[in-house]
Amino acid sequence: MSALRAVCVYEWKRSLTLVRIGWWLAMAAFPVMITILIRTLSDPQNQVSIATQKSTWSMTLYALIPGVCVALSVLLTAAPAVAAELEQRSWAYLATRPNGIFWLLLGKFLVSVTWGTSAAWLGTMFSVALCGMDEQLRMLLSLLALSLLSAIAYSALYILVGAMFPKRAMVFCMMYTVIVELVFGSIPAVINRMTIQFRLRTLFVNWMPLDKRMKEDSVFKYVMVDGSSWMQCFWLITLSVLFLTAAIVVAHRKEFTSATEGDV
Amino acid sequence: MSSDIAIQFQGVTKLYGKVLGVNDITLELPRGAYGLLGPNGAGKSTLLNLLTGQLLPTRGTVRVLSLNPRNNPELMRRIGFCPGFEGMYASISGIEWVIYLLEMQGYASCKARQRALECMELVGMVEGMYRPISSYSRGMRQRTKLAQAISHEPELLILDEPLSGLDPIGRAQMTDLLRHWIAMGRSMIIASHVLHEIEALTQSFLLISGGRVLASGTAEEVHELLFDVPLEMHVQCNDLRGFAAKTLAADLADSAKIRRTNSGGEMVVLATRHAGRIASLIPKWMKDDGLQINEIRTADDSLQSLFNSLMKIHRGEL
């Protein structure tokens, strides 16, 4: 465990540079700024029911926080997990330690989860407070939990994509997110059950304060599943474990050395 | 395989796509210290990467300390690796880097710190060890690399050009350190393209070129192998013409020329296939004919020409 601790401590120290703190603040500020903009620009004369307003805010904050904020935060930290070591040529030192690759990827995964979650949580607290809806506690707890689950799942996914394609990790992660998570995840077919978005969306509908009529909308029925929240959490954790295991297997099987820089 | 065998290659070939890294290497090295000599691009780093399990052979098997090196945590506890490139985290200090790697090795934090301090002292890095690595000179980086390789006291040390970039004093210090390491009965394989660096540490060589092990053995054995390889011999003595005539008369030289030296003197240049026989006859000529030798050297004594000759022997051209 000292190896895991060492990787986490080092990666966290590295996160405390000015540039990275700047990025972290930008990620946290993003949903807050959008919330302020919506509040400022919305028409106070607009006669919309409280239930509809709550639903709209719920969907907006879900899209902004566990969606964009978390996904972008972990993209910055998890996607280059392998590429960063290959580029600075430190891979050989770490790979020649007992289970070095395993501890390295696990450590980077944990740091990515904490980095992404902390930014999202900060953004959630301010955004929920500023949106001015009732049931704020429910909204807050739901978004905190969704952010954590989203960070876990997307970190594992991006580490896997980064291990498979270290040379263009971020590009491939973005492509995967758009094609699989957004497009396939929205297709009303069995394939969407394999995506992280499908499980998160079901949890969102179960947990967030939504208008009952909206929940019964046919669109929702096609892109989510009727099931217990525990089952969705189980699937998200299972997917994360599978992604992370696959990432470790891929990194072990690949031959990343100075002699094969083509892999980098 | 006997536990006395440190390294075993069985018909090992490594291809990078269509490029040959190493070609059909079979060898068995007992525990001890070995120099891996070869010109740039000879396949030394590929061989070392196969030993550390970072590369998988395309064909054949590799065993290090009787274990398969590929993703083997047990072996990684028993080997220390100093790569030929730098690759250390530039933003942290040398001592932090060694502590980090010791913790990756499984050391507890306080024990890792203590051991890292000992090793930094051992490699002469006490002064700059708290500075960021980005501010280190090449020599300081080499010392830090060596410190991390020896820090967990491995049974087998795998070093890729560990002395390059060091100043003469640094070289001498590191050579002493490595000699001490060998004297403690530990094993080591050290890759270099500089013959005298390795000669100062061990008398057991592996000569590699074009991805093949061309020769192995002690320095004398390698010299014996090259005894009758055609080469140019430069001799400075009191009777240049007499010496040239003797070698030609005994059919020991193909040609002999008198040439002016840079210092203004003269020397005889022999093209010979029998340098060894000439060397063995010289004491007799000195005794019988009063020959006085000032200097003998071969013009082709660079490592590259040695490898060229070995390559020709390997191909059956000599």
Side-chain angles (χ1 to χ4, degrees):
Chain A
M1 290 304 279
S2 63
L4 181 61
R5 198 192 68 86
V7 176
C8 289
V9 168
Y10 172 73
E11 291 296 328
W12 259 110
K13 271 189 192 169
R14 236 174 68 169
S15 302
L16 296 176
T17 56
L18 273 179
V19 177
R20 291 202 178 211
I21 291 171
W23 272 111
W24 185 83
L25 284 173
M27 289 297 126
F30 174 69
V32 182
M33 298 308 289
I34 301 287
T35 306
I36 292 170
L37 270 176
I38 294 171
R39 290 278 291 176
T40 313
L41 299 175
S42 62
D43 182 4
Q45 304 300 315
N46 197 354
Q47 296 297 311
V48 181
S49 71
I50 296 289
T52 310
Q53 277 188 40
K54 219 186 286 178
S55 297
T56 311
W57 271 113
S58 294
M59 283 194 286
T60 308
L61 291 180
Y62 168 76
L64 287 175
I65 300 168
V68 179
C69 173
V70 170
L72 275 180
S73 299
V74 301
L75 178 73
L76 291 174
T77 47
V82 172
E85 303 300 331
L86 295 176
E87 275 164 20
Q88 61 187 334
R89 307 182 91 185
S90 48
W91 185 265
Y93 294 95
L94 304 166
T96 51
R97 307 287 147 179
N99 299 313
I101 294 171
F102 173 79
W103 295 121
L104 178 77
L105 293 187
L106 191 59
K108 289 199 175 213
F109 165 74
L110 291 176
V111 171
S112 172
V113 169
T114 48
W115 204 81
T117 306
S118 56
W121 282 9
L122 186 68
T124 303
M125 283 187 275
F126 281 100
S127 301
V128 170
L130 288 167
C131 76
M133 289 288 105
D134 56 354
E135 287 195 84
Q136 283 192 338
L137 185 64
R138 183 181 168 190
M139 212 183 249
L140 178 78
L141 293 177
S142 305
L143 285 171
L144 294 182
L146 284 167
S147 301
L148 175 65
L149 289 168
S150 174
I152 291 172
Y154 279 112
S155 293
L157 171 66
Y158 291 158
I159 286 181
L160 170 60
V161 177
M164 289 169 79
F165 310 102
K167 207 172 178 181
R168 297 273 180 275
M170 291 234 190
V171 175
F172 279 101
C173 284
M174 286 298 289
M175 277 167 56
Y176 184 93
T177 308
V178 172
I179 296 169
V180 179
E181 288 294 321
L182 296 182
V183 178
F184 289 1
S186 306
I187 294 173
V190 178
I191 193 167
N192 68 8
R193 290 173 186 239
M194 302 307 292
T195 63
I196 296 165
Q197 271 305 317
F198 180 82
R199 304 292 163 189
L200 285 175
R201 205 160 38 224
T202 304
L203 287 173
F204 157 71
V205 173
N206 286 355
W207 289 347
M208 291 289 272
L210 289 178
D211 190 344
K212 267 189 181 173
R213 281 170 302 169
M214 197 175 271
K215 280 190 184 183
E216 284 156 11
D217 196 301
S218 58
V219 175
F220 269 118
K221 285 190 175 163
Y222 281 122
V223 291
M224 56 164 280
V225 67
D226 280 329
S228 75
S229 298
W230 288 116
M231 189 52 80
Q232 307 316 313
C233 293
F234 166 78
W235 275 113
L236 276 173
I237 300 298
T238 304
L239 277 176
S240 307
V241 171
L242 284 176
F243 288 149
L244 202 56
T245 307
I248 292 165
V249 170
V250 168
H252 269 112
R253 292 183 69 88
K254 278 205 163 191
E255 294 173 287
F256 297 125
T257 70
S258 57
T260 53
E261 276 167 14
D263 281 337
V264 179
Chain B
M1 187 169 64
S2 160
S3 62
D4 283 343
I5 302 296
I7 293 164
Q8 189 188 44
F9 279 73
Q10 196 76 53
V12 173
T13 296
K14 178 65 194 172
L15 290 163
Y16 302 107
K18 287 179 182 172
V19 179
L20 196 62
V22 295
N23 186 9
D24 196 23
I25 290 182
T26 297
L27 62 91
E28 212 167 73
L29 300 176
R31 286 171 188 260
Y34 300 91
L36 182 62
L37 271 166
N40 291 329
K44 301 190 295 292
S45 294
T46 300
L47 204 96
L48 297 190
N49 283 327
L50 286 164
L51 286 179
T52 56
Q54 290 180 76
L55 290 178
L56 195 63
T58 310
R59 217 183 61 190
T61 54
V62 180
R63 291 287 178 273
V64 179
L65 302 173
S66 308
L67 297 165
N68 181 353
R70 184 82 175 145
N71 297 322
N72 191 329
E74 192 194 331
L75 182 67
M76 295 306 139
R77 286 188 189 92
R78 296 166 65 188
I79 62 168
F81 180 46
C82 176
F85 47 86
E86 287 177 359
M88 298 178 284
Y89 293 157
S91 59
I92 63 173
S93 67
I95 184 92
E96 281 177 310
W97 174 243
V98 179
I99 292 171
Y100 177 58
L101 291 177
L102 274 168
E103 287 180 341
M104 290 287 285
Q105 199 73 39
Y107 278 58
S109 185
C110 56
K111 206 178 166 200
R113 175 165 289 277
Q114 190 189 337
R115 181 67 192 144
L117 279 167
E118 286 168 13
C119 291
M120 291 302 260
E121 197 178 336
L122 212 60
V123 298
M125 267 299 293
V126 173
E127 222 165 85
M129 68 180 171
Y130 293 108
R131 272 175 28 207
I133 290 174
S134 57
S135 69
Y136 284 5
S137 66
R138 181 90 202 277
M140 290 167 89
R141 285 165 200 245
Q142 287 295 88
R143 287 165 194 261
T144 309
K145 274 166 57 184
L146 198 57
Q148 64 78 29
I150 61 170
S151 59
H152 54 286
E153 295 176 298
E155 285 173 49
L156 171 66
L157 202 50
I158 300 167
L159 310 171
D160 195 356
E161 310 269 0
L163 304 180
S164 72
L166 289 171
D167 56 35
I169 297 170
R171 263 168 208 263
Q173 286 172 343
M174 290 304 108
T175 304
D176 277 349
L177 175 70
L178 294 175
R179 271 204 206 114
H180 181 64
W181 182 271
I182 296 164
M184 286 195 299
R186 289 180 175 140
S187 298
M188 181 168 77
I189 182 157
I190 175 170
S192 177
H193 61 275
V194 184
L195 183 60
H196 67 83
E197 268 182 13
I198 294 197
E199 271 183 319
L201 287 167
T202 177
Q203 287 300 301
S204 300
F205 299 126
L206 285 172
L207 300 155
I208 178 169
S209 189
R212 284 181 180 273
V213 174
L214 300 179
S216 62
T218 63
E220 285 109 45
E221 283 167 342
V222 173
H223 285 145
E224 263 173 39
L225 194 70
L226 292 169
F227 228 47
D228 292 330
V229 167
L231 49 75
E232 208 171 73
M233 208 174 178
H234 295 183
V235 181
Q236 288 184 50
C237 60
N238 61 337
D239 179 14
L240 295 172
R241 280 158 190 83
F243 180 77
K246 276 186 215 300
T247 53
L248 288 170
D251 207 15
L252 294 175
D254 298 334
S255 69
K257 287 180 232 168
I258 307 290
R259 197 185 286 170
R260 205 157 271 288
T261 62
N262 290 339
S263 57
E266 282 186 324
M267 66 178 174
V268 60
V269 179
L270 298 175
T272 177
R273 289 165 182 273
H274 311 288
R277 282 180 59 199
I278 294 173
S280 63
L281 281 169
I282 283 175
K284 184 177 179 294
W285 291 338
M286 287 171 84
K287 190 180 165 202
D288 297 347
D289 308 326
L291 183 72
Q292 287 174 16
I293 300 286
N294 300 324
E295 185 183 313
I296 301 179
R297 73 186 165 85
T298 54
D300 302 15
D301 59 358
S302 72
L303 201 57
Q304 186 59 59
S305 68
L306 184 131
F307 284 109
N308 291 344
S309 302
L310 284 169
M311 206 63 174
K312 284 179 188 166
I313 293 174
H314 191 83
R315 291 192 203 112
E317 292 169 14
L318 292 176

